[in-house]
Amino acid sequence: MESLNDTTWDIVLSGTGLPQSLLALALSRSGKKVLHVDKNDYYGGSSAAFSLQEAEDWVEAVNGGLHESSFGDARIDTCKSTDSSPTSSEGVSTLGFSRAYSLSLSPELIYTRSKLLPTLVSSRVYRQLEFLAVGRWWLYDETTSAEAVREVDLTRPHENGTMSNLRKIPGGREDVFTDNSIDLKSKRALMKFLKLATDIEAQAAVLDEWGDRPFPEFLDSNFRIPPKLQSALLALTLSPHTPNNTTTSYALPRIHRHLTSIGLFGPGFGSVIPKWGGTAEIAQVACRAGAVGGGVYVLGRDIESIGSENRLDPGPKSITDDDTEPMLKVHLQGGEGVRTRWIAGTYEDLASSKTPKDLGSSSYMTRTASIISSPLSSLFPVAVEGAPPPAGAVVVFPTGSLNDTSFSSATDIPPVYLLVHTHETGECPPGQCVVYASISLPGPEGFEVLAIALQRLLESIQEDSVPIVLWSLKYTKRCRSSDERFSESTDLSGVLYFPDSNLDVAFEDGILDDVKEAWQRVCGQRDGFMLFEDREVGAYDDEE
């Protein structure tokens, strides 16, 4: 077998995150020689999915500073009394074996209008993936009206005598019409707004005037939408920011994305989640398909340095016959050196080979992945007749809804997003569910708010006893600044940088745009991205 330095590569990819994995697939099928390395011994990069034991190993590696990492403050909390803890009749109050779980570091929902889904179809890897519907979206509101409480039927008396409630977020005009908790005047205002939100052409003039102004101000001035309904519309944006820091230019396109995705693939849902660990599964399937296309994969090998090759150094000929074609010399962990025309990765994956990037403008997300002793079945009703059984639900705690934290003002707290996944996702055993919580608030304050929000959710579910958190992975994640884009190094030609992940809990199509641009640069062509001829069914099944 040839060693890695016996081949002159078209590209060396560092890291097996989703952008690198999709690029490796696209280039391997375009006849390019692809070497794909990862400093980790697992696939998926910052979107990896772990068993319980793998999560423990990951926490140790993050806190030990084994590699440059965008993660920090990682720890695992385990319930100390799982054997005797009460649970619902259908719940399971003990942890299963380690590999019964597949917990994602970066859970994301994928809208049905995302460009990712048709790309997976055109690349023929969709056969190796399974997508499940995300059903209801819920809004936490302690002051929900009695009429809304009767309709939702997801309430439990709170300790202080109030009612902590979840109410359904309207997903379109039909939901608005049938929601008895919304008065007629507000329904008319909402219908007027929804008409605008689905009309891209009409939005252009609005954004010229209101684009940089707060979204709540736009809703109040133009539609007289009351604050409670403003919270529901803000939830659909998945904005990590407080309402006054969420601009109209940010909110309107995201609400348009949500509304126009519903019903595209079937009634009752507008987004999906990949089974078996989210986007980590897409990355791994792409890597398997890339290997079938001729890509070479090496885990556990970091890139130590990148340099421009000395032309006086004898070695294999360049990819082209033109000796002026620039080449890169890449030194891998362990001392092996390889020659390549291009190299690509995120700033994190290429950190050891480049002067550290200024992270002063970065943002931070606090996240938890918690295993719950109940399936929380009441969060997953079938939305409409003919809709698929949902495997995911979204619960939003808007700014101002958590008043019992250490913060002096609840209006300072960004919204909390909870993605709740059933056992049908393959992420936990039957009788349990996984709740992924996130907030754009770093440090102890972020963990405090997430813990309170999760407890409020569990108290709001009408079961015989309040479900408990059996196990929880907690960490912070550094995310890219809003102005960070895909780019080529100005110091060394041929080094391509993908931006780090952002704060969104929905897949961002800009990732796919970056992959396409990288493919175009390496291939020197504009058309043909991810358009592959069909192969025999099962071609990937033999690859492990």
Side-chain angles (χ1 to χ4, degrees):
M1 180 179 178
E2 291 184 351
S3 64
L4 298 178
N5 57 14
D6 288 334
T7 300
T8 298
W9 303 93
D10 289 295
I11 189 167
V12 174
L13 285 155
S14 179
T16 54
L18 186 58
Q20 300 100 306
S21 299
L22 291 174
L23 179 58
L25 169 60
L27 291 173
S28 68
R29 293 295 196 84
S30 300
K32 300 300 181 182
K33 294 180 180 179
V34 176
L35 174 60
H36 201 166
V37 302
D38 196 319
K39 63 190 177 187
N40 302 305
D41 58 1
Y42 53 82
Y43 290 93
S46 61
S47 299
F50 295 139
S51 67
L52 300 187
Q53 182 58 56
E54 289 168 340
E56 291 183 10
D57 295 341
W58 177 81
V59 168
E60 184 177 352
V62 168
N63 294 334
L66 183 61
H67 297 296
E68 169 69 19
S69 176
S70 59
F71 293 97
D73 302 324
R75 73 175 191 266
I76 292 174
D77 292 340
T78 305
C79 178
K80 294 182 173 59
S81 57
T82 56
D83 290 337
S84 58
S85 299
T87 188
S88 67
S89 58
E90 58 180 349
V92 176
S93 61
T94 56
L95 287 175
F97 61 92
S98 173
R99 291 204 167 274
Y101 301 88
S102 182
L103 306 173
S104 174
L105 288 179
S106 299
E108 294 177 311
L109 54 86
I110 302 172
Y111 278 100
T112 56
R113 283 202 177 274
S114 170
K115 292 185 287 188
L116 178 62
L117 298 179
T119 298
L120 295 174
V121 172
S122 66
S123 65
R124 310 303 183 189
V125 299
Y126 70 97
R127 295 192 184 99
Q128 312 305 310
L129 296 164
E130 184 176 350
F131 292 93
L132 305 171
V134 176
R136 286 278 174 83
W137 288 51
W138 305 97
L139 191 75
Y140 180 85
D141 181 6
E142 285 192 338
T143 60
T144 301
S145 68
E147 190 170 7
V149 168
R150 287 193 298 272
E151 180 172 340
V152 174
D153 195 27
L154 278 173
T155 61
R156 170 181 294 277
H158 198 1
E159 291 179 0
N160 62 10
T162 65
M163 298 293 291
S164 58
N165 302 320
L166 298 174
R167 58 186 175 94
K168 182 177 70 174
I169 298 176
R173 296 182 181 183
E174 185 176 346
D175 286 345
V176 172
F177 274 127
T178 58
D179 193 333
N180 295 326
S181 67
I182 305 176
D183 62 71
L184 184 59
K185 183 178 179 181
S186 296
K187 285 184 177 181
R188 289 172 178 167
L190 269 178
M191 296 300 291
K192 183 180 176 182
F193 169 77
L194 293 177
K195 181 179 180 181
L196 170 69
T198 54
D199 188 341
I200 289 291
E201 293 184 2
Q203 289 181 29
V206 169
L207 293 178
D208 285 342
E209 178 182 357
W210 289 91
D212 295 331
R213 297 165 71 175
F215 185 53
E217 183 181 333
F218 167 73
L219 293 176
D220 184 54
S221 298
N222 291 273
F223 301 97
R224 296 290 186 265
I225 293 178
K228 281 189 178 182
L229 293 178
Q230 289 183 21
S231 294
L233 294 174
L234 280 161
L236 299 183
T237 72
L238 296 175
S239 171
H241 311 296
T242 57
N244 286 334
N245 289 320
T246 300
T247 63
T248 304
S249 61
Y250 180 96
L252 272 181
R254 283 162 174 76
I255 294 178
H256 177 270
R257 173 183 65 179
H258 182 94
L259 296 175
T260 58
S261 291
I262 295 174
L264 187 63
F265 288 170
F269 71 100
S271 58
V272 295
I273 46 179
K275 191 172 182 178
W276 307 116
T279 53
E281 182 67 7
I282 299 177
Q284 186 155 348
V285 166
C287 288
R288 292 175 62 191
V292 172
V296 175
Y297 287 78
V298 182
L299 298 182
R301 298 284 293 277
D302 200 1
I303 291 179
E304 293 185 339
S305 66
I306 305 170
S308 182
E309 185 182 61
N310 184 348
R311 283 294 165 194
L312 298 179
D313 181 26
K317 283 289 185 182
S318 173
I319 295 171
T320 71
D321 293 330
D322 184 359
D323 287 338
T324 64
E325 177 77 11
M327 294 293 292
L328 297 169
K329 187 74 171 181
V330 179
H331 292 277
L332 303 177
Q333 182 181 6
E336 192 168 13
V338 298
R339 303 172 76 245
T340 181
R341 171 62 185 90
W342 298 89
I343 183 168
T346 64
Y347 285 100
E348 178 183 339
D349 290 309
L350 297 175
S352 61
S353 60
K354 185 180 183 293
T355 302
K357 176 175 156 287
D358 178 18
L359 299 174
S361 59
S362 294
S363 301
Y364 290 83
M365 179 76 78
T366 299
R367 285 180 163 166
T368 62
S370 302
I371 301 168
I372 308 301
S373 66
S374 164
L376 305 185
S377 302
S378 54
L379 291 177
F380 304 97
V382 176
V384 296
E385 184 178 355
V394 181
V395 181
V396 182
F397 286 72
T399 292
S401 63
L402 295 171
N403 297 307
D404 49 357
T405 68
S406 60
F407 282 75
S408 58
S409 173
T411 59
D412 296 331
I413 304 175
V416 174
Y417 295 98
L418 306 183
L419 305 182
V420 189
H421 291 189
T422 73
H423 78 276
E424 295 293 343
T425 62
E427 297 173 16
C428 66
Q432 298 175 356
C433 70
V434 178
V435 178
Y436 297 103
S438 62
I439 186 172
S440 59
L441 185 67
E445 295 87 357
F447 289 121
E448 176 192 354
V449 173
L450 292 186
I452 292 173
L454 180 55
Q455 186 60 32
R456 290 290 175 270
L457 169 66
L458 299 182
E459 292 172 353
S460 298
I461 303 300
Q462 192 169 17
E463 294 187 354
D464 297 336
S465 57
V466 178
I468 60 171
V469 179
L470 299 175
W471 183 98
S472 187
L473 171 64
K474 304 178 179 183
Y475 53 94
T476 57
K477 174 73 169 66
R478 186 182 70 233
C479 303
R480 66 173 170 83
S481 61
S482 59
D483 58 350
E484 187 178 316
R485 295 291 185 266
F486 170 81
S487 63
E488 183 171 356
S489 171
T490 57
D491 301 325
L492 203 56
S493 176
V495 180
L496 305 177
Y497 289 99
F498 288 110
D500 293 321
S501 58
N502 65 4
L503 294 173
D504 217 332
V505 293
F507 176 79
E508 184 187 20
D509 277 351
I511 294 174
L512 200 60
D513 295 336
D514 293 341
V515 173
K516 183 176 182 179
E517 183 176 347
W519 177 85
Q520 290 172 335
R521 292 197 189 198
V522 175
C523 291
Q525 62 188 73
R526 304 296 299 174
D527 301 323
F529 174 66
M530 286 289 198
L531 298 176
F532 304 149
E533 293 183 2
D534 208 354
R535 295 191 172 200
E536 290 184 20
V537 175
Y540 309 132
D541 296 338
D542 296 333
E543 298 293 324
E544 295 296 336

